Amino acid sequence: MKRAFLLTLILTGVLGAIQTARALDYPLPPQGSRLIGQNQTYTVQEGDRNLQAIARRFDTAAMLILEANHTIAPVPKAGTLITIPTQLLLPDVPREGIVVNLAELRLYYFPPGENKVQVYPIGIGLQGLETPVMETRVGQKIPNPTWTPTVGIRKRSLERGITLPPVVPAGPNNPLGRFALRLAYGHGEYLIHGTNAPDSVGLRVSSGCIRMNAPDIQALFARVKSGTPVKIINEPVKYSTEPNGERYVEVHRPLSQEEEQNVQTMPYVLPAGFTSFREDKAVNNDTVQQALYRRAGYPIKVTSGQTPVAAKTSAVESAQNGSPVNDEASGMTQ
């Protein structure tokens, strides 16, 4: 069986205790700055039955925890000290409405008139049914949605021995959860919605829609108005020159087109302006290369003359009796 599919089965098939998710609220940094938050550490406990349960506790994605810890098992042993990647660079886009970065499995919401951003983990389209990059808006708010499986979804379910009804009524067993935001894109087929399968959030498992934890979509639904702008991007590499002169690079594993692809080594497109950024004398290009190769999913300081460490590592917060805890990149294109 293919490795990516196996990993998805492990993460979704092992049932953990459902933790109450909540948005990660960050104060907005000043204009010219994109660095927010700081990483945490956590010691895996006996009751933590999979990474999804741990991820829900911190309202992050299991895939992001896998990126940050690299060699961790999908079902880590009790006593394992792991990094929770809750420090990040804001995407280099206007700070308004909803912004989704598919490559990092995160949704950002910038509440109007408030000096903060809310960050949520999401599930997105699987290979062959990718969530498209787009600029659109919230076209409709749908409480208690019903679900009408498409012909393609019903066919794929039949191949797995599951016969779906023509319509699934609203309720706790509805795959769309209790709230949905229809995007004004195409024929309205793309939704941001809840799910009755919490372990699917943070993975590539949908038919193109964006899934959220039930408490997260409920909170977002209550705040977002119809007409709110929505921008969906796919940018695995983010970088920033901070007002104090520090330089950071945040690199995520790119989204593969096929399950067989190794996302740790497959090529990706670097953002516009990245070449100029890395050629600046204030940037340590060797450290940049290490960050591009490692793909750790959290900001790495790449300022010249400094050790390649995560930002503010000395100030990492321990969530539970823990303590804080790179070669040439191949195949990058611009």
Side-chain angles (χ1 to χ4, degrees):
M1 189 176 290
K2 299 170 183 175
R3 179 176 57 186
F5 183 60
L6 258 179
L7 179 58
T8 299
L9 284 179
I10 292 171
L11 288 173
T12 58
V14 182
L15 297 178
I18 298 177
Q19 303 291 335
T20 300
R22 74 279 183 206
L24 294 180
D25 283 7
Y26 295 89
L28 279 178
Q31 289 297 328
S33 172
R34 294 170 58 198
L35 182 68
I36 60 175
Q38 63 184 67
N39 291 335
Q40 303 177 69
T41 60
Y42 175 74
T43 302
V44 177
Q45 303 297 295
E46 290 288 349
D48 295 326
R49 299 179 60 189
N50 64 2
L51 281 183
Q52 291 297 75
I54 296 171
R56 278 194 296 275
R57 179 173 300 176
F58 293 93
D59 211 21
T60 188
M63 286 297 185
L64 293 176
I65 295 178
L66 284 171
E67 282 185 340
N69 296 276
H70 197 41
T71 59
I72 192 173
V75 185
K77 294 181 179 179
T80 303
L81 183 67
I82 61 176
T83 296
I84 307 296
T86 45
Q87 183 175 63
L88 51 146
L89 296 176
L90 291 175
D92 190 15
V93 297
R95 300 175 181 180
E96 62 177 0
I98 293 171
V99 176
V100 172
N101 189 357
L102 301 171
E104 58 178 312
L105 295 165
R106 286 186 178 122
L107 181 151
Y108 298 82
Y109 175 57
F110 298 88
E114 300 183 35
N115 191 42
K116 69 178 182 180
V117 58
Q118 297 179 323
V119 184
Y120 301 94
I122 56 173
I124 62 174
L126 43 73
Q127 290 92 345
L129 295 168
E130 287 84 0
T131 306
V133 170
M134 67 176 84
E135 285 196 48
T136 185
R137 58 183 172 81
V138 174
Q140 182 185 11
K141 297 178 64 174
I142 311 171
N144 299 311
T146 59
W147 181 51
T148 304
T150 65
V151 173
I153 291 174
R154 298 184 70 180
K155 180 180 177 182
R156 289 192 298 274
S157 296
L158 277 174
E159 291 171 352
R160 301 196 305 270
I162 302 171
T163 301
L164 294 175
V167 177
V168 178
N173 296 321
N174 191 294
L176 301 183
R178 294 197 179 269
F179 303 94
L181 301 172
R182 187 182 301 280
L183 302 184
Y185 176 87
H187 299 290
E189 62 267 43
Y190 294 102
L191 305 173
I192 300 173
H193 62 79
T195 179
N196 63 344
D199 274 3
S200 68
V201 176
L203 300 175
R204 297 185 64 186
V205 290
S206 80
S207 296
C209 288
I210 294 171
R211 298 184 184 183
M212 297 181 67
N213 287 311
D216 288 348
I217 185 61
Q218 181 175 358
L220 185 66
F221 187 91
R223 306 204 69 185
V224 167
K225 297 180 179 180
S226 292
T228 295
V230 177
K231 187 177 183 68
I232 300 181
I233 61 176
N234 180 13
E235 297 183 0
V237 178
K238 300 184 288 184
Y239 66 97
S240 176
T241 298
E242 292 295 299
N244 62 1
E246 300 288 12
R247 271 71 168 173
Y248 294 97
V249 170
E250 178 182 331
V251 184
H252 295 270
R253 298 170 182 174
L255 300 180
S256 60
Q257 299 299 308
E258 299 178 5
E259 292 177 355
E260 296 88 349
Q261 290 178 295
N262 185 341
V263 293
Q264 190 62 43
T265 59
M266 68 176 283
Y268 46 69
V269 177
L270 295 171
F274 190 79
T275 297
S276 297
F277 168 82
R278 70 187 300 179
E279 290 177 351
D280 191 297
K281 64 181 180 180
V283 172
N284 185 326
N285 195 49
D286 288 341
T287 308
V288 171
Q289 287 294 99
Q290 292 175 23
L292 291 171
Y293 178 80
R294 169 62 178 85
R295 308 182 184 192
Y298 53 76
I300 300 295
K301 188 182 294 187
V302 296
T303 313
S304 291
Q306 301 198 18
T307 304
V309 295
K312 300 182 182 178
T313 297
S314 60
V316 166
E317 292 182 347
S318 176
Q320 180 175 312
N321 69 1
S323 58
V325 286
N326 290 327
D327 13 340
E328 187 166 334
S330 63
M332 269 75 71
T333 60
Q334 184 163 0

